[in-house]
Amino acid sequence: MKQLVSLVLAGGLCPVIALAQDAEPGGVFFTFDFGQSFEATSDSDLETPEEEDSVQGITDIRFGAVTETRSQRLSFDLGTGIRATEDELTNEDVSLRFAYSRNSADAVFDTSISALRSDISFLRDASDFINADGVLVLPDDFEDLTGSGIRIATTVAASLRWGETDPLGYRISASQQLLRYEDASAALAESDTNTVGAGVRLNINEVTTGNLDLSYSETDEVGAPSEDRLTLSTNLVFSRPLGDLTYQLSTSRNETDDVFWAGSISRSLALPRGSLAGSVGIVEADDGETRPTGSISFSYPRPTGQIDLSAARSLSPGGDRGTTTLRATFAQAVTPVSGMRFEITYAEASDPDRSDVLASGEVSGSYAVELNRLWEFNVGARINLRDDDGTRSRSNTVFAGLNRTISWRP
């Protein structure tokens, strides 16, 4: 899902915003981000029949704080988006994240709480689900997010690793995800998902590491029987001078005692210019048939820009609908204080025989210029597309905005 700041810069040349989590280590650090943009959009909800054209102003505010010592790190991030349309003023987009970590020479403890409240009307395409690492990840309710209403996703997680400096290490983890909806026009089901896991790491030799993990998850969805899954996975990681080679095998058992398996081989490579990573695998679907999976990503830094390409085909063991995701970005500096960016994102969920396909994507381009040390101006356009089993919709948007980031240490 898009972070709130990207509402200002959606599809544009997103500047490097100094979030609190990216502060230099040590001491206390604060950031304050402010953005104001204006958009003119046709069929902003990507519905059929089309909605009327609209003009809206979006104000985004984000505050971050981090305090860090040699052994502890505490961070806080709060963001909100105010959307002004021709008819109303709303404040439905709010994000909150709290994280704490403590480490010693032999152990690491991490815990976090995050919540994201978003207007379903503006979850329009695949680019809304690019995570903080720039990876396109589709949520479980991706296919149902149409119409209007509010989506609230809350996640609490904790993990502990110890034996970090020993040949044999251990880890345990637990998480809970709560999914809620308010005033949703579609039949969206609220759910709770609880997950616990444990694992061991074995350093076989200087270049080979083995991992064994056992996890259990239970999902309670309103109006449906509880679903649980027990998964045992193992992998071997071979450290190579140019990148790791990993073999992975897993088996899963669901609530009806059906067992499904999956296997993959992945490799990462550091190239003279850029990096390349990929994987190939097979997975057993719910019908007992094996399906191929795989991914590839390529990053190519240039003296005055960057090119990133990625593609993935995934299916969970025992699943019936696979997903295909594609992303391509091109950024280029035009002058020392200006640059342009182009991006294409695409996501598809489909049955094996492609009898029911949901596809969503975005094509965008923008130009940004630094007005001074603090302010940046950007202008651009984007096209959003959606194809729901033959029912197609399209949204065209032009936008312009200002963004400012302030960071300081007390």
Side-chain angles (χ1 to χ4, degrees), residues 388-400:
D388 191 349
D389 198 24
T391 302
R392 299 180 179 180
S393 53
R394 171 173 171 168
S395 172
N396 302 316
T397 300
V398 293
F399 62 87

Side-chain angles (χ1 to χ4, degrees), residues 21-344:
Q21 289 82 347
D22 298 325
E24 292 296 326
V28 181
F29 190 83
F30 298 100
T31 58
F32 179 78
D33 299 318
F34 172 81
Q36 178 64 56
S37 67
F38 298 92
E39 298 183 351
T41 306
S42 65
D43 191 15
S44 61
D45 293 343
L46 280 179
E47 292 184 344
T48 303
E50 294 184 1
E51 295 289 320
E52 296 181 358
D53 297 347
S54 65
V55 178
Q56 60 183 343
I58 305 170
T59 303
D60 291 300
I61 301 172
R62 182 179 291 274
F63 171 77
V66 61
T67 177
E68 188 172 17
T69 67
R70 290 181 179 273
S71 61
Q72 299 181 79
R73 190 173 196 270
L74 177 66
S75 63
F76 173 79
D77 190 47
L78 175 65
T80 184
I82 302 172
R83 193 182 302 272
T85 64
E86 300 168 347
D87 303 321
E88 60 181 348
L89 182 68
T90 60
N91 182 27
E92 306 295 357
D93 297 306
V94 180
S95 68
L96 171 68
R97 187 176 189 274
F98 170 88
Y100 172 77
S101 64
R102 183 180 179 90
N103 63 82
S104 66
D106 196 54
V108 178
F109 172 73
D110 291 296
T111 183
S112 65
I113 302 173
S114 63
L116 183 60
R117 176 186 174 95
S118 302
D119 190 334
I120 296 173
S121 300
F122 297 97
L123 301 179
R124 295 171 297 191
D125 55 76
S127 63
D128 286 319
F129 306 108
I130 297 173
N131 66 16
D133 298 322
V135 179
L136 182 56
V137 180
L138 301 183
D140 292 337
D141 56 349
F142 168 72
E143 299 180 63
D144 302 318
L145 293 176
T146 59
S148 60
I150 303 300
R151 180 183 188 267
I152 306 171
T154 304
T155 303
V156 180
S159 66
L160 174 64
R161 304 194 314 268
W162 69 97
E164 294 288 277
T165 59
D166 299 331
L168 186 64
Y170 308 89
R171 53 185 171 266
I172 56 175
S173 63
S175 66
Q176 181 182 56
Q177 183 183 62
L178 309 178
L179 196 57
R180 300 289 184 267
Y181 304 96
E182 295 180 0
D183 304 321
S185 60
L188 296 169
E190 298 181 344
S191 64
D192 298 344
T193 301
N194 301 293
T195 304
V196 294
V200 295
R201 169 194 47 80
L202 174 62
N203 294 339
I204 300 173
N205 54 45
E206 293 182 354
V207 299
T208 307
T209 302
N211 293 276
L212 182 67
D213 290 276
L214 180 67
S215 67
Y216 174 80
S217 66
E218 182 179 56
T219 300
D220 293 316
E221 185 176 291
V222 175
S226 176
E227 298 181 359
D228 62 78
R229 182 175 290 267
L230 183 67
T231 301
L232 178 66
S233 62
T234 181
N235 67 44
L236 283 176
V237 182
F238 298 91
S239 297
R240 303 297 189 193
L242 297 180
D244 292 345
L245 173 65
T246 304
Y247 296 89
Q248 183 166 359
L249 183 66
S250 67
T251 180
S252 301
R253 181 190 61 79
N254 62 17
E255 65 279 355
T256 60
D257 291 330
D258 293 325
V259 178
F260 304 93
W261 61 273
S264 66
I265 302 173
S266 60
R267 180 70 194 270
S268 59
L269 290 172
L271 305 177
R273 288 290 302 273
S275 61
L276 177 67
S279 68
V280 292
I282 53 177
V283 61
E284 185 179 10
D286 67 334
D287 57 4
E289 297 293 328
T290 56
R291 316 262 180 218
T293 60
S295 66
I296 187 170
S297 62
F298 173 70
S299 180
Y300 180 67
R302 306 171 63 246
T304 58
Q306 176 89 14
I307 298 175
D308 293 293
L309 305 171
S310 65
R313 176 65 181 177
S314 61
L315 174 67
S316 60
D320 60 346
R321 288 177 65 78
T323 60
T324 300
T325 57
L326 305 172
R327 189 182 184 209
T329 61
F330 171 76
Q332 176 66 48
V334 179
T335 71
V337 296
S338 66
M340 59 182 179
R341 179 184 177 93
F342 299 94
E343 181 171 346
I344 300 174

